[in-house]
Amino acid sequence: MVHPRTRRIYVVDTETTGVDLEAGHTLFEVALVNLDDPLDRHQWFFALTMDEIAKADPKCLTGFGNYNGRLLLQRNVIPPDYQARKRAINQVFDYLDGSILAAVNPTFDDKFLAAFVASYGLQRVWDYHLLDIWTYS
C-alpha cells in the first residue's frame, strides 16, 4: 500500500553572489515550487547592499547568476534593509516550516539558505532530508 506524503516537498532554487560563504558570498534570490501543486510557487528577490556587491564574484553579477539583469526584470524587490529582509525570510519560513527541501543541488541551496536566515537570528525550519531532483529525472 502506498502511503500519502504527510509533508510538503518544495523544490527550491537560490541564486547567489558566488559559491563561497567564507568569501562573503550570499544569496539574492529564493524561488519555491510545491512539488504536489505547481501553482503554489513563490519568489523573493533581495537587493544587495554595496558590501555584498563588493564581495560578489563578478561572474555572478553579470553572467551565470546575472544579478544585474535579473534585478531589472523584478516586480517586487526586497530592499537591502534588515526589517524588510526579515519579513521576507519569515514568509519563506511559513512555506518551508516542516517541509522537505528538494533541489538540483540541495546541499548548496540548503547551505546558502541556512546561512542567510542565520544572519537574521533564525534557524532552518525545513526537514533535514534533502532531495536531489536529478535522481527523479
Side-chain angles (χ1 to χ4, degrees):
M1 177 176 180
V2 176
H3 296 285
R5 255 193 329 266
T6 57
R7 286 186 271 173
R8 294 171 301 191
I9 297 177
Y10 274 101
V11 177
V12 65
D13 184 40
T14 60
E15 296 298 333
T16 66
T17 60
V19 297
D20 186 358
L21 285 171
E22 298 297 320
H25 297 158
T26 188
L27 65 81
F28 61 82
E29 184 176 26
V30 178
L32 303 174
V33 178
N34 184 328
L35 194 62
D36 292 320
D37 180 6
L39 296 178
D40 179 14
R41 57 182 178 229
H42 311 277
Q43 177 189 22
W44 295 267
F45 191 93
F46 299 91
L48 296 173
T49 65
M50 294 306 293
D51 185 54
E52 290 166 335
I53 290 171
K55 293 177 181 175
D57 179 334
K59 292 182 290 237
C60 293
L61 296 178
T62 59
F64 184 71
N66 197 7
Y67 171 80
N68 293 335
R70 294 166 92 77
L71 179 62
L72 296 174
L73 300 174
Q74 299 304 311
R75 291 187 195 151
N76 298 312
V77 176
I78 295 138
D81 69 77
Y82 183 87
Q83 290 303 322
R85 284 184 171 185
K86 183 122 185 207
R87 281 191 300 274
I89 291 299
N90 284 326
Q91 291 173 349
V92 174
F93 267 42
D94 287 344
Y95 291 104
L96 292 182
D97 191 7
S99 297
I100 296 172
L101 189 131
V104 171
N105 186 346
T107 303
F108 179 86
D109 291 317
D110 172 65
K111 176 176 74 171
F112 272 88
L113 191 54
F116 191 72
V117 301
S119 68
Y120 292 89
L122 303 167
Q123 295 179 355
R124 69 168 51 94
V125 293
W126 50 93
D127 190 283
Y128 67 93
H129 293 96
L130 304 176
L131 299 178
D132 182 345
I133 60 175
W134 281 112
T135 61
Y136 294 96
S137 58

